[in-house]
Amino acid sequence: MCSLALFPPPLYSMNNVVCSLKPHSRQESSSKSAFRDHCETLYTRSAGAWRDAGLSGLLNEIANSSAEVPKWLGVSSSCVLALLRWVSSFHSSLFPHLTLSSEEMTAEFSQVLDWSDCAVRGFAWHPHTQKCAVALSDDSIKIYNPKSATTPTLKHRLQRSVAALQWKPLCASALAVACHNCLLVWHVDPTSLSTRPSSGCAQVLSHPGHSPVTSVAWSPNGPLLVSASPRDTALLVWDVAVESCVPLHRVGGGGVTYLSWSPDGSRVLAATPSSLFRVWETRMWTCERWPSLKGRCQSGCWSPDGSRLLFTVQGETVIYALTFTDNPGVPLMMSGGPKAATVVADLSETTLNTPDGDIMVGGEIQSLAWDPRGERLAVHVKGRPAMIAVFKTQISPAFKLLPCGFVQGEAGTEPRLMQFNPNYQHGAQLTVCWSNGKITHVPFCFMSAGNPQPGLGGSPSFPLTQGRPADYNNQTLYTELIS
Amino acid sequence: MAWSVLLLLPTTALFVLLSRFSLFHPILWMSECLSLLTSASAIFSFILLCGVVLMVGFFNLEYYTVVPSIACSKIALLGQVLHPRQFVHSLVHCIMGVVVAWCCAFTIGGRYRSLGHPCTQDESSGPEMCLNEYHLVLLLAGAFIGYSHSLVGVVYNMNYVSFHTMQQYKYLRFKGALPLVVKASAVQALYCLRSFLLLYFFMGYAPRAWICKTLDLSINSSIHSLDSVSSLLDLSLLYHLWISGTFLLLTWYITVLLFRIFVTEVHITPLTPYNASIRPTAFLALQDLALLSQHSPSRRLEVFSLSQPGGHPHIWTALSKECLSLLSDLTERLVAHHDTVATNGRAKSQSTGSNKRSTTSSEGSGSYNALSLSLKNAAFRKCSDFVPYFITPQGALSPGFSSIQSPHVMRRGPKLWSASTGEGQPRGHTWLILPMDYFLTHCCLSLQLPEASSQALFADSQVHIWALQGLSHLVAASFSEDQYGIVQTTLPTILSTLLLLQEAVDRHFKLPHTSSKPGHCSCSMGDDSYKTLRFALRSTLKTAVYRITATFGGHLQ
């Protein structure tokens, strides 16, 4: 286990720009302020308040318009309101994240860095074809397909503040979108020539109390979809075809923020806003608790065989690993699971010497991504400037991490979001969304076999990437053998 | 069943606490409840309640079905309600409702305690027994709720047991469903109460007069009769009626819930011949197949293994044959339905076209392995000799079908209900279909319920879903696990069957009477998942085809 100091210094270089998107300047707030006040009856206003903000809104409205209501009603509603506030303050002192507004909550728990002012709010590669979906800050989703000339734009009345999106595996057309207060599952026919599919193509899945939805994950081999909301303590498991859901309640945590389904479909990582995360086993849906972290689990990713989980914790600069012994068919029962997490990499701030002067790298980790072959691990580091550190990984016979390099964009830009392309033939391809609205692909070409040889393994060989001295290739950051 | 009796204890205690609830005398309230709970009479009524719950459980066991009966028209629904079997069900539930209500009245005590009370009508005649109308109202409410429980059960198919996609432990499932059950029973009791009060308001004098006449009680004229607006809106009376109704429904619903959970539990079915007689066994065997194909490599190995002397893949052959016959059965049914719906000859030409396509596809993919073809022929020849020893369509996988719903009957049922075909025979041994309905359906075509024919067509699709999942997972796993190449021999047949079914399903969804999205049912306790089975089938089918093609990829060309 070692730090970023072993990494080759980054060089500034241009990547191949796929598409460029202008950031939108629209403010995401209620449209109420845009309209002039006009006089409504108390009844109309109360009904509106009830619809918009529920019971507390109604009470607030009644308490505020004390001139129009009988005195006892005004007094009693302000009393009830005070009581409600007192109770909710007690509740939110236990779970501080509940004081956030929905937008802030999505921004806080999203995998995107600075979600609220980012032009690209979500990105998803199709698992089987070269097709990707991009969620923009104006709440529309565009689908890019190199084989067709049309780029369908998906818009829906309920599609607000998109936090995550994912294509359904083993299906050509279904795209799940985590929205403000519901889940949308779009069915976009790939052969259709329509550029603006109607909202009839979308299934709306909503459940009371499940808002905002910050994460979705499809089961890799089945029809199930799990969704998470930081306000809802239950993890919802949807059977999308019949639009029914089963809530899985467990005590503790105060919500679910991030979900990741292991590629072999046997386990699901569920992070909560407090210092606790769970690993669900998907056969009988029992879970393991992992308490006593320093902070909440920020991000996690699974190795391709589902046996190893890497995760990061908010406020720390290290990557932890958990190993699960593979015993499919047998319920987890705490026996197949590991006993403790091990630290595999430290990305604390270090200074690297470059020809242009010293630069600082490292810091807190925003998200992790592991390529589908298990050979490259991309780590999105929050520091100033934010950048992506790439590790070479080896899973069998022993888990190894080796330094590979940094991915940086144009001067003054930061990476916001990244994902590996699951259909890249020649190695791994990392797609990065930048703060200036550009989306670039970073290919890593290598031979996929056992030990990377120094000559072949010296990744990006394309002209667009950073040059990489060969002597760094064999320095092992972490192996299971020495730790 | 034992669990529901055990759960009756806390429910009853809770009921006692709530029924005698008084905000201002908490200590008195608690002590009264405690003394009541330990008294001998309370134990007697508790035993009575246990009997009722056992009875409800028995009726659940007797009446449940895994293939819902779907009435295609309102007349048919009426026929179901009036069926003798259903009549017995309603009557028994009605009586049990009265029994529970009597226990409730007894527990609440006070003015509800007994049917008669001594009163003095006038000075001259001395004391005589008068009718206690509060008691009567409570009993009648129990009877009404019991009857409406039975009625609602028919309308919303409450006897239908559905299987969940997610497997969970029984305790967790129960824990998850309990709040919903409590809420459902409270809401249902409220609705029932509303209807009952309306009924009593208009018709209340009839049972009162009848009771008075038969039991020789007199009506106390000094007290107002209860079928007036002011006396029926008595808050305490309403509360007690509602809480009794909720208690009644809650105990029954818990029994239903526990029954469903225990019936749909996953059973590991051995891959060898066995005898089974209960109804969902075929379902459970197929569910087990779907799960083993997904989760258990060791049992998959058993499927892919060859028989020890002889070296023939009998298990796989029987499995795939059974699944494929199920699927092609569904395809036939869909095509037949489509043919009857389409009035012009277009459907005919399409089906021949699809036949042609299937033969070409099976030729195209079948020719890539000559060895596998010869193996296939050998397997087919030998299979018939070894039928008794391994899973066969008649032996292990479908005992339920052969005994309870043979494929012929299943195919005939929906035709009968679709109301546009002329032929069909009623099933003699089930109560689902009546001869009477057969005529009525033809009389009143105008009363067709929308989408019901489509729902009826896919009523038993849970079997097909599991067959699809099991087959596709096995085929996908065979890519790496099948050492002898036995799956390759049937792969062309599997693919062509799946594609034919896909075509039929796609065409079915294009019919004007089928909506393309699952609707939502607000019904509380009835399981409406049979309404959405066709959507589940469609998506499973798509996934299955994609799974096979994604696994084999370029090898299929």
Side-chain angles (χ1 to χ4, degrees):
Chain A
M1 203 270 300
C2 206
S3 70
L4 286 177
L6 284 173
F7 267 66
L11 300 171
Y12 287 100
S13 68
M14 285 293 295
N15 294 305
N16 48 347
V17 177
V18 177
C19 56
S20 183
L21 305 156
K22 286 276 170 286
H24 290 261
S25 58
R26 213 184 91 195
Q27 284 296 312
E28 300 287 329
S29 62
S30 169
S31 55
K32 209 175 177 180
S33 55
F35 296 94
R36 276 183 58 207
D37 264 356
H38 72 110
C39 285
E40 288 171 324
T41 61
L42 175 69
Y43 176 74
T44 325
R45 274 183 287 137
S46 305
W50 170 260
R51 203 177 52 238
D52 290 344
L55 181 65
S56 62
L58 177 69
L59 291 174
N60 209 357
E61 187 66 47
I62 293 176
N64 284 341
S65 52
S66 52
E68 297 169 56
V69 293
K71 194 176 178 195
W72 62 270
L73 191 61
V75 170
S76 62
S77 64
S78 25
C79 285
V80 173
L81 199 60
L83 194 71
L84 270 182
R85 279 185 186 145
W86 181 72
V87 170
S88 69
S89 72
F90 179 70
H91 189 210
S92 55
S93 68
L94 276 177
F95 300 113
H97 70 276
L98 290 178
T99 54
L100 298 174
S101 73
S102 294
E103 291 274 328
E104 289 167 344
M105 204 180 269
T106 312
E108 171 78 19
F109 299 117
S110 166
Q111 293 290 299
V112 185
L113 185 62
D114 292 335
W115 179 85
S116 41
D117 72 332
C118 186
V120 179
R121 291 188 159 178
F123 183 89
W125 275 108
H126 194 278
H128 304 295
T129 60
Q130 298 287 353
K131 179 161 80 168
C132 61
V134 182
L136 306 176
S137 60
D138 64 344
D139 296 332
S140 66
I141 293 174
K142 281 186 185 293
I143 295 174
Y144 294 94
N145 187 349
K147 285 183 196 142
S148 83
T150 54
T151 47
T153 307
L154 311 179
K155 281 188 183 175
H156 194 280
R157 187 171 51 87
L158 295 168
Q159 188 170 291
R160 284 183 290 136
S161 54
V162 176
L165 61 169
Q166 198 184 8
W167 290 93
K168 181 179 178 179
L170 299 175
C171 182
S173 57
L175 174 73
V177 183
C179 301
H180 177 66
N181 51 12
C182 66
L183 273 168
L184 289 177
V185 180
W186 286 94
H187 295 272
V188 191
D189 188 2
T191 55
S192 156
L193 293 173
S194 155
T195 52
R196 184 71 203 277
S198 75
S199 48
C201 299
Q203 277 178 290
V204 181
L205 309 174
S206 63
H207 190 256
H210 199 70
S211 141
V213 185
T214 54
S215 188
V216 284
W218 286 95
S219 69
N221 52 12
L224 297 179
L225 175 74
V226 290
S227 71
S229 166
R231 283 222 181 98
D232 192 359
T233 51
L235 175 72
L236 295 191
V237 184
W238 294 90
D239 189 345
V240 174
V242 303
E243 297 190 359
S244 69
C245 79
V246 179
L248 295 170
H249 285 279
R250 287 294 181 276
V251 178
V256 184
T257 57
Y258 175 71
L259 294 167
S260 170
W261 208 307
S262 73
D264 67 338
S266 61
R267 289 182 184 88
V268 180
L269 164 76
T272 67
S274 57
S275 59
L276 164 81
F277 71 92
R278 296 192 177 87
V279 179
W280 290 87
E281 162 276 323
T282 59
R283 179 80 200 275
M284 295 303 279
W285 292 97
T286 51
C287 69
E288 273 184 8
R289 279 162 62 95
W290 283 91
S292 72
L293 301 174
K294 296 253 171 36
R296 67 180 167 85
C297 175
Q298 165 67 29
S299 178
C301 66
W302 293 87
S303 66
D305 59 351
S307 65
R308 201 165 264 104
L309 169 68
L310 299 185
F311 67 93
T312 63
V313 171
Q314 194 194 31
E316 288 191 53
T317 58
V318 295
I319 301 176
Y320 294 94
L322 284 177
T323 313
F324 295 89
T325 50
D326 206 27
N327 49 356
V330 181
L332 202 58
M333 286 307 195
M334 314 300 281
S335 60
K339 297 292 172 283
T342 44
V343 177
V344 293
D346 184 0
L347 288 98
S348 51
E349 280 199 18
T350 44
T351 312
L352 291 181
N353 295 317
T354 62
D356 309 336
D358 292 354
I359 56 163
M360 299 282 288
V361 292
E364 233 180 86
I365 297 163
Q366 175 70 21
S367 63
L368 297 171
W370 208 332
D371 91 295
R373 298 193 195 189
E375 305 244 358
R376 292 290 181 279
L377 174 73
V379 182
H380 187 181
V381 183
K382 247 187 206 171
R384 292 283 146 205
M387 56 172 62
I388 293 172
V390 182
F391 294 85
K392 270 189 268 186
T393 55
Q394 188 189 335
I395 294 171
S396 61
F399 180 52
K400 268 187 195 173
L401 273 181
L402 302 104
C404 185
F406 293 100
V407 175
Q408 276 192 320
E410 300 165 39
T413 61
E414 295 187 315
R416 289 286 165 87
L417 180 60
M418 60 177 189
Q419 195 179 28
F420 275 105
N421 181 355
N423 293 300
Y424 190 65
Q425 301 300 321
H426 313 288
Q429 185 191 43
L430 184 68
T431 303
V432 186
C433 306
W434 301 94
S435 55
N436 59 358
K438 285 184 178 170
I439 297 177
T440 62
H441 296 316
V442 185
F444 302 87
C445 292
F446 52 82
M447 304 291 283
S448 176
N451 285 317
Q453 287 156 16
L456 291 166
S459 345
S461 57
F462 277 20
L464 46 107
T465 47
Q466 305 95 34
R468 201 151 280 122
D471 53 323
Y472 286 106
N473 283 325
N474 292 330
Q475 264 175 331
T476 306
L477 275 181
Y478 169 84
T479 73
E480 270 178 347
L481 303 174
I482 59 167
S483 67
Chain B
M1 202 94 75
W3 272 108
S4 57
V5 172
L6 284 183
L7 277 169
L8 195 59
L9 199 62
T11 325
T12 315
L14 190 72
F15 170 70
V16 169
L17 283 183
L18 281 179
S19 64
R20 305 211 147 196
F21 181 73
S22 61
L23 187 62
F24 302 107
H25 307 286
I27 298 168
L28 189 68
W29 167 48
M30 291 308 263
S31 59
E32 247 184 25
C33 290
L34 276 180
S35 64
L36 182 71
L37 279 177
T38 46
S39 67
S41 50
I43 291 171
F44 169 69
S45 63
F46 181 74
I47 291 171
L48 215 56
L49 284 178
C50 287
V52 168
V53 166
L54 286 179
M55 199 69 184
V56 171
F58 171 72
F59 267 84
N60 285 338
L61 184 69
E62 220 26 52
Y63 280 69
Y64 84 99
T65 167
V66 281
V67 179
S69 67
I70 293 161
C72 282
S73 62
K74 287 174 183 162
I75 298 293
L77 197 62
L78 193 66
Q80 276 186 8
V81 173
L82 294 180
H83 189 272
R85 199 175 139 98
Q86 179 56 35
F87 180 71
V88 171
H89 189 264
S90 301
L91 191 69
V92 171
H93 274 85
C94 216
I95 293 169
M96 288 193 299
V98 173
V99 172
V100 176
W102 183 82
C103 292
C104 290
F106 186 77
T107 322
I108 297 170
R111 57 181 181 175
Y112 302 98
R113 188 122 200 149
S114 64
L115 192 57
H117 65 103
C119 60
T120 47
Q121 202 74 294
D122 44 27
E123 307 303 320
S124 58
S125 58
E128 54 179 320
M129 291 303 278
C130 282
L131 176 73
N132 182 3
E133 206 175 346
Y134 290 103
H135 187 83
L136 181 68
V137 166
L138 202 57
L139 290 194
L140 286 177
F144 182 80
I145 292 177
Y147 180 71
S148 65
H149 172 79
S150 160
L151 194 69
V152 166
V154 176
V155 177
Y156 291 120
N157 266 313
M158 214 180 301
N159 55 352
Y160 167 60
V161 176
S162 71
F163 292 82
H164 284 261
T165 326
M166 281 174 63
Q167 304 301 318
Q168 269 185 289
Y169 285 109
K170 282 177 290 200
Y171 166 68
L172 293 174
R173 266 187 74 182
F174 178 72
K175 204 180 77 178
L178 193 58
L180 293 180
V181 167
V182 172
K183 194 182 147 206
S185 54
V187 170
Q188 188 67 34
L190 210 58
Y191 280 119
C192 281
L193 190 61
R194 185 198 60 187
S195 320
F196 171 72
L197 287 180
L198 275 180
L199 197 68
Y200 191 80
F201 180 67
F202 290 114
M203 318 273 287
Y205 62 90
R208 195 172 57 217
W210 182 70
I211 290 277
C212 285
K213 210 171 173 187
T214 45
L215 295 184
D216 202 16
L217 296 171
S218 57
I219 293 173
N220 194 346
S221 52
S222 59
I223 307 170
H224 288 294
S225 68
L226 269 179
D227 56 354
S228 64
V229 178
S230 57
S231 49
L232 274 182
L233 285 182
D234 177 9
L235 263 187
S236 141
L237 176 71
L238 287 184
Y239 173 71
H240 280 129
L241 282 178
W242 175 69
I243 200 101
S244 310
T246 309
F247 171 66
L248 185 151
L249 286 178
L250 183 65
T251 49
W252 292 4
Y253 280 161
I254 285 180
T255 317
V256 173
L257 175 72
L258 284 169
F259 178 74
R260 281 186 191 162
I261 291 176
F262 274 84
V263 150
T264 55
E265 199 189 353
V266 177
H267 284 281
I268 291 186
T269 317
L271 289 167
T272 46
Y274 70 104
N275 292 320
S277 53
I278 53 167
R279 249 181 285 184
T281 314
F283 273 70
L284 290 176
L286 273 168
Q287 186 188 22
D288 185 49
L289 171 71
L291 289 176
L292 90 91
S293 63
Q294 212 169 339
H295 296 294
S296 158
S298 58
R299 297 186 67 200
R300 278 202 297 262
L301 211 61
E302 213 176 313
V303 174
F304 296 140
S305 67
L306 299 179
S307 65
Q308 217 5 279
H312 301 292
H314 293 296
I315 296 185
W316 165 252
T317 316
L319 272 179
S320 59
K321 219 166 141 192
E322 173 63 19
C323 292
L324 288 179
S325 75
L326 270 176
L327 295 180
S328 47
D329 219 41
L330 181 66
T331 315
E332 265 174 45
R333 209 197 296 170
L334 285 176
V335 168
H337 176 79
H338 195 267
D339 283 351
T340 55
V341 169
T343 46
N344 50 6
R346 205 175 32 143
K348 196 76 182 166
S349 65
Q350 272 179 5
S351 68
T352 50
S354 66
N355 278 339
K356 205 189 291 169
R357 208 165 98 192
S358 77
T359 47
T360 53
S361 79
S362 65
E363 274 170 14
S365 45
S367 59
Y368 72 95
N369 198 336
L371 178 70
S372 70
L373 273 179
S374 63
L375 266 176
K376 179 180 173 182
N377 292 336
F380 272 126
R381 255 184 283 117
K382 286 289 174 187
C383 177
S384 51
D385 304 334
F386 287 85
V387 159
Y389 296 101
F390 294 93
I391 293 188
T392 62
Q394 281 76 34
L397 262 175
S398 63
F401 289 120
S402 47
S403 63
I404 300 300
Q405 338 139 336
S406 69
H408 294 287
V409 177
M410 280 174 21
R411 212 178 304 141
R412 207 176 293 129
K415 265 192 189 170
L416 178 70
W417 289 91
S418 67
S420 43
T421 52
E423 55 181 44
Q425 299 161 9
R427 278 187 257 182
H429 52 288
T430 66
W431 62 284
L432 306 178
I433 293 177
L434 301 171
M436 188 175 70
D437 295 335
Y438 171 65
F439 300 110
L440 287 176
T441 331
H442 283 262
C443 295
C444 309
L445 288 176
S446 56
L447 287 172
Q448 283 254 329
L449 295 172
E451 292 200 22
S453 65
S454 171
Q455 281 171 20
L457 208 53
F458 287 97
D460 59 341
S461 281
Q462 188 65 59
V463 196
H464 304 111
I465 290 173
W466 282 326
L468 279 170
Q469 283 178 346
L471 260 190
S472 64
H473 273 116
L474 279 177
V475 170
S478 77
F479 188 68
S480 56
E481 292 176 15
D482 180 13
Q483 296 169 351
Y484 309 107
I486 55 174
V487 174
Q488 290 175 18
T489 58
T490 32
L491 189 56
T493 331
I494 292 173
L495 272 179
S496 65
T497 312
L498 291 190
L499 291 176
L500 274 180
L501 183 57
Q502 170 81 50
E503 202 173 353
V505 169
D506 274 352
R507 273 204 295 160
H508 179 80
F509 272 93
K510 282 182 186 141
L511 288 180
H513 288 297
T514 52
S515 74
S516 57
K517 276 191 183 178
H520 289 289
C521 174
S522 56
C523 148
S524 48
M525 191 58 195
D527 204 330
D528 65 332
S529 58
Y530 63 90
K531 290 183 183 164
T532 50
L533 270 180
R534 55 204 157 125
F535 303 105
L537 179 84
R538 182 174 62 167
S539 91
T540 314
L541 180 60
K542 247 185 210 170
T543 312
V545 175
Y546 273 113
R547 182 175 293 133
I548 295 177
T549 49
T551 314
F552 282 85
H555 300 280
L556 283 178
Q557 289 162 2

